[in-house]
Amino acid sequence: MTDTRVRHFIFHITIYDFCLCTFIFLLYFLCMNQHAQKIRVRFAPSPTGHLHIGGVRTALFNYLYARQMGGTYCLRIEDTDKERSTNANMQEILSALEWLGLSPDETPVIQSEHSQEHLEAADQLLREGKAYRCFCTKEGLEADKIKAESEKRAYRYSGRCRELSENEIQAKLDTGLPYTVRFRIPEGITRFKDMVYKDIAVNNEEIDDFIILRSDGSPIYQLSVVVDDANMNITHVIRGEDHLSNTPKQILLYLALGKKVPKFGHLPLILAQDGKRLSKRHGASSVDEFKEMGFLPEGLLNGLALLGWGDNMPKPIFSLDELIKRFDFARVNKKGAIFDPDKLAWINGQHLSRSEAKDMWPFVKPLWQNAGWIDPGFSDEDGIRYTDLLKSRIRLLNEFVLYGKYLFKDPLTFDMKAIDKHLQSPDIKKYISILSTSFQSLKSSSAEEMEAKLREVADMHEIKASMLIHPLRIAVTGFGVSPDIFKICEILGLETVIRRLNLLKIFLV
RNA sequence: GUCCCGUUCGUUCAGCGGUUAGGACUCAGGAUUUUCAUUCCUGCAACAGGGGUUCGAUUCCCCUACGGGAUACCA
């Protein structure tokens, strides 16, 4: 073989290898893509009341997981309970989610608009003998329940209609007897691996043949969720722990309908202060209430994320983006969590002091406008300056109202605790007078000049500067706590400061 | 009643067979701030009880107690 031929031979091998490698890689890539199905999650509230923090936490974890996995976060309104669902509630849920920044990636699915699909699923089960018509009356069933209870026996559906013959069914149908449709629970054990609760196994004998269609023909939740989740291609069902015991029933439905069973992740419940379940009548606060209390969306979300999940960082303050990065199902715990309003407020305060004044001003402006202190035309520059001054001592936005008032109005009341603590010197009125007269000699209202003047007066009378600073603060703000008092004086101007000093003097008499 | 799940400071999150049981919030004390708040430091404070398994259990198993969920023609 000549050199050229050898070279040709090698060249061909290389080309061949290259093609083969490319082909294998492409094949692998295609397969991976097919298997690494894109993650789809959903938050599915029912519009039977306000959106409360338990719901928000569920929405949040769905959102975090979707974002982290590059998946899609969907919303479904479960309004099959026509008695209790209202449109107003639905709108409120939507706007609350928007405020929180948890709006869905796709148009929300309204469950009631899909009842046809639910009915078809029930029909399919009926045809395949996986469900059956039950002609038992509500009253009869109720009587069975009462009887079981009086005998201290667990109530189970009698199974009366389970094995009705074709003829019997037809006869009942002919007489126009109303019926419900029950799902026939197969024998066996239903197992699944929950993302939080790990291995769960339930003996199917424990599950009654539950109703999937009411006697008026409307579908029931258990059926609707399964059909909708399957139709929406939901891959991960992330919801409250109260659904853990429903899951085996739903898995059985998926199987009966020939649908792919999604993965499940159940979240521990958020409990009221006394450890009881949160409900509308019991400690459940709506998102609106938190908004009114002065929470930032990010602060509320941060606080809620820390319920049932923790990163064990010394400072548990996370932005939404940081939460997306850090969130991990392996760290979600199984214990129900009581939320602590104090800690929630502290977390919000941390977010507040982390934020720039210019970002907070849009939240503060309407508060001050509503209070009637500023016009819509109030300059943003001043607003941001004021916000910046106040923000270090504030945990909740509405404290901008409480502690911001003195920037616009003379205080009408004074903090008695502060007076007791700082204004007990017998000479206090004398000091206030001296301060107010000495301020009159100033040419400008600058913070530096006022501070220098105050010090000079203190030195002259051989007293500590704090003997004058405290009365000044109380006179100007009405509170024992405030940001840099000289900066506040600068904003207010000499005339106002002097007037307020005199007001305090009068008050002390 | 039955089934499922859970149980670490007051609250929350750590710990995944050997730790002085850790962090955060709250509370108390101190430092800084000429003052208050912020910030920083220090402190108080917990493995529900009983059996196993193991050289050794907060950690694994069982029982009891307590709590929660499900058991609906609610979702």
Side-chain angles (χ1 to χ4, degrees):
Chain A
M1 234 191 295
T2 66
D3 264 12
T4 342
R5 289 180 77 179
V6 170
R7 246 181 274 138
H8 273 173
F9 179 70
I10 291 173
F11 178 74
H12 274 111
I13 285 195
T14 328
I15 286 285
Y16 177 76
D17 280 352
F18 177 76
C19 289
L20 193 69
C21 278
T22 315
F23 179 72
I24 289 173
F25 177 77
L26 268 170
L27 204 66
Y28 173 79
F29 185 76
L30 281 170
C31 285
M32 281 308 285
N33 242 3
Q34 208 169 29
H35 285 290
Q37 194 188 1
K38 236 192 143 198
I39 277 166
R40 287 175 64 83
V41 299
R42 91 297 196 278
F43 172 50
S46 56
T48 54
H50 303 284
L51 179 62
H52 66 76
I53 54 169
V56 175
R57 209 272 312 260
T58 305
L60 208 216
F61 283 21
N62 270 286
Y63 175 88
L64 294 178
Y65 190 63
R67 285 290 171 280
Q68 190 177 70
M69 307 302 286
T72 310
Y73 157 75
C74 306
L75 179 70
R76 185 173 66 234
I77 303 289
E78 307 217 316
D79 58 345
T80 50
D81 182 353
K82 288 162 212 141
E83 309 259 308
R84 295 189 298 151
S85 300
T86 71
N87 197 262
N89 282 332
M90 184 176 99
Q91 292 308 326
E92 196 189 300
I93 290 171
L94 256 26
S95 66
L97 288 174
E98 193 186 342
W99 179 71
L100 289 160
L102 299 180
S103 290
D105 298 335
E106 292 178 356
T107 322
V109 171
I110 313 293
Q111 189 159 61
S112 59
E113 291 172 6
H114 296 265
S115 38
Q116 197 50 43
E117 281 121 285
H118 309 156
L119 262 28
E120 277 162 20
D123 200 49
Q124 178 195 334
L125 293 176
L126 220 39
R127 277 200 316 270
E128 293 173 1
K130 291 170 180 170
Y132 58 91
R133 294 181 178 84
C134 173
F135 297 92
C136 297
T137 62
K138 230 178 205 175
E139 294 72 29
L141 259 20
E142 204 55 47
D144 285 353
K145 256 175 236 179
I146 292 167
K147 191 163 174 236
E149 204 168 317
S150 69
E151 289 170 12
K152 293 203 167 174
R153 187 163 49 79
Y155 164 78
R156 296 300 304 266
Y157 168 60
S158 63
R160 212 172 287 140
C161 304
R162 201 169 208 245
E163 308 298 344
L164 252 35
S165 70
E166 288 293 325
N167 290 343
E168 283 173 301
I169 293 169
Q170 199 50 55
K172 285 176 192 287
L173 249 29
D174 288 343
T175 58
L177 226 50
Y179 62 87
T180 60
V181 174
R182 280 183 191 271
F183 180 51
R184 195 188 299 273
I185 302 290
E187 282 181 8
I189 292 172
T190 304
R191 296 174 201 278
F192 66 102
K193 199 177 179 73
D194 191 89
M195 289 191 275
V196 175
Y197 287 86
K198 305 303 170 202
D199 296 296
I200 308 279
V202 173
N203 192 328
N204 294 358
E205 283 172 19
E206 300 295 337
I207 308 171
D208 255 346
D209 287 352
F210 58 92
I211 291 171
I212 52 174
L213 240 47
R214 297 187 183 91
S215 50
D216 67 359
S218 63
I220 266 181
Y221 165 74
Q222 308 283 10
L223 210 221
S224 303
V225 237
V226 169
V227 173
D228 286 344
D229 282 338
N231 287 346
M232 289 168 75
N233 292 315
I234 299 302
T235 57
H236 298 252
V237 173
I238 299 164
R239 65 224 312 187
E241 190 260 356
D242 47 340
H243 287 293
L244 191 61
S245 348
N246 283 327
T247 307
K249 295 180 193 175
Q250 293 170 11
I251 289 176
L252 257 15
L253 273 175
Y254 278 101
L255 262 19
L257 288 165
K259 305 280 190 188
K260 189 164 185 270
V261 181
K263 291 210 166 28
F264 293 94
H266 289 89
L267 273 15
L269 261 24
I270 296 180
L271 308 169
Q273 239 63 59
D274 55 2
K276 297 275 182 231
R277 205 242 251 257
L278 218 53
S279 70
K280 258 157 268 168
R281 317 195 60 175
H282 190 79
S285 312
S286 68
V287 175
D288 274 355
E289 283 172 68
F290 281 95
K291 188 178 171 183
E292 257 165 54
M293 270 186 269
F295 277 89
L296 245 29
E298 209 173 53
L300 182 58
L301 258 17
N302 187 168
L304 258 20
L306 260 22
L307 256 26
W309 172 85
D311 195 290
N312 210 26
M313 295 282 284
K315 240 195 175 180
I317 305 302
F318 306 111
S319 67
L320 238 196
D321 283 340
E322 286 168 321
L323 284 176
I324 291 169
K325 278 198 204 94
R326 294 178 176 279
F327 179 72
D328 181 4
F329 259 106
R331 294 194 77 91
V332 173
N333 47 352
K334 308 181 178 82
K335 197 176 94 177
I338 297 170
F339 80 95
D340 178 4
D342 256 326
K343 186 158 188 176
L344 225 48
W346 175 80
I347 289 170
N348 199 62
Q350 294 290 311
H351 279 269
L352 239 33
S353 55
R354 250 189 174 199
S355 317
E356 300 271 336
K358 66 172 166 49
D359 297 326
M360 286 158 70
W361 173 235
F363 290 97
V364 179
K365 188 174 182 178
L367 294 175
W368 286 353
Q369 248 173 290
N370 286 345
W373 301 335
I374 58 169
D375 299 324
F378 185 79
S379 98
D380 286 341
E381 197 188 322
D382 281 346
I384 291 168
R385 190 155 63 102
Y386 293 6
T387 304
D388 192 43
L389 194 57
L390 290 167
K391 79 180 175 90
S392 69
R393 357 230 126 190
I394 275 167
R395 297 159 93 203
L396 299 169
L397 281 173
N398 64 355
E399 289 172 349
F400 275 105
V401 177
L402 181 65
Y403 296 121
K405 192 173 179 182
Y406 51 73
L407 289 174
F408 308 99
K409 302 279 177 202
D410 289 350
L412 296 172
T413 53
F414 299 94
D415 180 352
M416 290 314 288
K417 259 168 77 184
I419 288 179
D420 288 345
K421 197 171 168 191
H422 299 298
L423 305 188
Q424 290 313 305
S425 157
D427 295 326
I428 195 72
K429 271 170 282 188
K430 192 181 88 189
Y431 296 148
I432 293 172
S433 299
I434 293 167
L435 193 61
S436 101
T437 38
S438 63
F439 273 0
Q440 275 163 24
S441 68
L442 284 174
K443 286 189 197 68
S444 89
S445 302
S446 83
E448 293 76 20
E449 271 192 53
M450 270 191 264
E451 186 170 355
K453 184 52 123 186
L454 181 139
R455 274 233 193 82
E456 185 191 314
V457 174
D459 282 348
M460 223 156 61
H461 292 81
E462 292 181 330
I463 53 171
K464 277 175 35 182
S466 62
M467 287 296 287
L468 297 176
I469 291 175
H470 285 302
L472 180 63
R473 167 178 289 114
I474 294 171
V476 171
T477 69
F479 295 101
V481 178
S482 82
D484 187 332
I485 188 60
F486 299 107
K487 288 213 172 112
I488 293 172
C489 290
E490 183 177 295
I491 284 173
L492 293 172
L494 262 180
E495 195 188 323
T496 305
V497 172
I498 292 163
R499 182 177 68 244
R500 290 189 187 180
L501 278 168
N502 293 333
L503 281 173
L504 177 62
K505 206 170 70 186
I506 295 164
F507 180 84
L508 290 176
V509 179

